[in-house]
Amino acid sequence: GAGVSQSPSNKVTEKGKDVELRCDPISGHTALYWYRQSLGQGLEFLIYFQGNSAPDKSGLPSDRFSAERTGGSVSTLTIQRTQQEDSAVYLCASSPTGTSGGPPGELFFGEGSRLTVL
Amino acid sequence: SQQGEEDPQALSIQEGENATMNCSYKTSINNLQWYRQNSGRGLVHLILIRSNEREKHSGRLRVTLDTSKKSSSLLITASRAADTASYFCATAIYNFNKFYFGSGTKLNVKP
């Protein structure tokens, strides 16, 4: 597809269950980001992938959160033993590599995965 | 917040009026971007301004950047009801390839 694709668009789960959220970035984009947005709030940085480099995991809120990116393309965000405070919209964005070693430019966002933990 | 904070948190204006939103940040940046988010949807990029630029225009949008004050403003001229959305600034921190977003300004344009 032409844009960033995220699935599922909505996920309702019970407390304590594990969930996986998927992001399919724009083809050729080397940078991939995960953000979390709680209701009516701003975006909280979670993790950043750039090419084959080690990911920047500094925003992951706890060790229940993990993410991987296979083959430099599709990414999966996994939340283990979900808690009610994990309820939020999880947004994925991709970006082409920045020039001259600088930061990537425009971020292209998916529509998000809305997670509700009962 | 780690970085950008928008002001005001909410803004309500009549169609045809101008809307001004401000963003303040804390550390040196490579660039600053503004995004728009319609309710419950993903964010859409509006405009990027680099740290060595002071002003940039795109259609009805005008963005300014004052690095000495660590602040930026987004002006939407001749607003339309369709401009109703939340607007976020995102700062790309110097030497770090990640973006920090503020909590946003919720703009309501009344027809």
Side-chain angles (χ1 to χ4, degrees), chain A residues 11 13-19 21 35-39 44 46 61-62 64-65 77-90 113-118:
Chain A
K11 176 71 176 179
T13 190
E14 293 179 348
K15 179 181 171 180
K17 301 277 189 183
D18 297 353
V19 296
L21 307 176
Y35 287 88
R36 177 168 73 174
Q37 185 177 32
S38 299
L39 187 63
E44 176 189 3
L46 296 178
S62 77
R64 295 187 295 103
F65 287 73
L77 177 68
T78 301
I79 309 172
Q80 295 178 309
R81 306 181 302 282
T82 52
Q83 303 294 312
Q84 288 182 330
E85 61 262 29
D86 299 335
S87 296
V89 176
Y90 290 81
S113 292
R114 182 177 297 277
L115 174 66
T116 303
V117 182
L118 302 176

Side-chain angles (χ1 to χ4, degrees), chain A residues 17-31:
Chain A
K17 301 277 189 183
D18 297 353
V19 296
E20 282 190 353
L21 307 176
R22 176 189 166 106
C23 174
D24 201 342
I26 293 173
S27 178
H29 281 191
T30 57

Side-chain angles (χ1 to χ4, degrees), chain B residues 41-67:
Chain B
R41 306 293 297 270
L43 279 74
V44 175
H45 179 264
L46 295 176
I47 196 164
L48 179 155
I49 186 165
R50 302 189 191 284
S51 59
N52 60 353
E53 296 176 314
R54 292 296 168 259
E55 187 170 314
K56 206 160 182 182
H57 296 255
S58 176
R60 293 185 296 113
L61 305 180
R62 173 180 168 249
V63 169
T64 62
L65 179 64
D66 186 335
T67 53

Side-chain angles (χ1 to χ4, degrees), chain A residues 35 37 56 58 104 107 111, chain B residues 33 35 37 41 97-99:
Chain A
Y35 287 88
Q37 185 177 32
D56 179 344
S58 60
L107 298 179
E111 292 295 316
Chain B
Q33 304 181 34
Y35 288 81
Q37 183 182 38
R41 306 293 297 270
N97 288 330
K98 57 191 177 188
F99 296 85

